[in-house]
Amino acid sequence: MERCRAARVAVWVDEVQTFARTGELFAYRTFGLEELVDVVTCGKALQGSAVLFRAPYNPKPGLVAGTFAGSTVGLAVGARIIERLEAEGYLGADGRITVLGERVVRRFEALRRRMPRAVGAHSGIGAMHAFVPFDGSSAVVQAIVEAAFEEGLFVWSAGVAPAKIRMLLPVNTTDEELESGFAMLEKALRRVAEARGLSC
């Protein structure tokens, strides 16, 4: 980012997934990169999309359309979501999103103790987490995604060599919901292990 800034190359940060999931509204703020970002896109948690620019990169009227153009209702909903995130204690180092992330990490540690071969490398922050299951093969990950769905849990695949199970939690996930979700995940992992002759 610093090299881009020195060469006058715009730094564009895609926060469509990370917006409001890392403990701050923007992940680049979580990591202290505010001074280096020129353009940022955000969405998903907003229930819409937005693109923000530093003044030198602000486009002329009519140049931004399609994905980044929202309805009045959509903009109002996005504004209300931001208001609630700020007013209800979701943001900051001690905010609800950061606390959620800490609870997820503890659940992964406990799951790894019970199933050390099933739960490999874990990464994540706030309401975004991923882990490598078993050997990290795409076929095993896809089988876990399908088994989790059958158990009542949405997870996604991400990456290759190794492939991972990706979890995007609602920021208002309760302890009970988290416990239930990890119970479903454990059942899915055990089902796949049994079906494929894998050791947990």
Side-chain angles (χ1 to χ4, degrees):
M1 288 175 141
E2 289 170 348
R3 292 179 70 181
C4 286
R5 175 57 58 83
R8 296 187 177 183
V9 174
V11 174
W12 185 313
V13 175
D14 175 4
E15 296 239 15
V16 168
Q17 268 191 127
T18 57
F19 182 80
R21 290 188 180 276
T22 64
E24 297 293 343
L25 287 180
F26 296 97
Y28 69 77
R29 285 187 179 161
T30 302
F31 298 111
L33 302 171
E34 298 93 324
E35 299 304 315
L36 299 172
V37 176
D38 297 305
V39 181
V40 60
T41 47
C42 53
K44 293 202 182 208
L46 280 175
Q47 304 300 300
S49 301
V51 60
L52 307 171
F53 307 85
R54 281 193 192 276
Y57 295 95
N58 198 13
K60 296 177 182 176
L63 290 181
V64 177
T67 300
F68 303 111
S71 67
T72 303
V73 172
L75 293 172
V77 168
R80 182 66 180 125
I81 288 169
I82 292 170
E83 288 171 7
R84 290 193 64 182
L85 288 170
E86 291 177 336
E88 296 178 17
Y90 283 94
L91 306 176
D94 299 319
R96 293 170 68 177
I97 295 170
T98 299
V99 171
L100 172 63
E102 293 165 354
R103 288 173 16 223
V104 171
V105 168
R106 287 194 298 271
R107 291 291 195 307
F108 268 115
E109 289 170 351
L111 185 58
R112 184 179 293 119
R113 285 192 296 272
R114 291 192 301 277
M115 307 177 73
R117 290 188 174 91
V119 181
H122 163 257
S123 59
I125 184 172
M128 302 179 65
H129 292 265
F131 74 100
V132 178
F134 298 104
D135 64 356
S137 69
S138 296
V140 167
V141 165
Q142 186 57 38
I144 294 166
V145 168
E146 292 171 8
F149 179 79
E150 291 167 3
E151 292 294 337
L153 179 67
F154 280 112
V155 294
W156 295 266
S157 62
V160 293
K164 298 179 180 181
I165 295 292
R166 182 171 56 111
M167 303 169 70
L168 298 175
L169 291 83
V171 297
N172 61 348
T173 300
T174 65
D175 281 331
E176 293 78 15
E177 290 165 338
L178 195 59
E179 188 69 30
S180 177
F182 268 84
M184 293 177 203
L185 177 61
E186 183 168 348
K187 287 180 183 177
L189 290 169
R190 292 190 185 282
R191 282 178 52 187
V192 170
E194 184 177 350
R196 292 176 173 261
L198 301 170
S199 175
C200 290

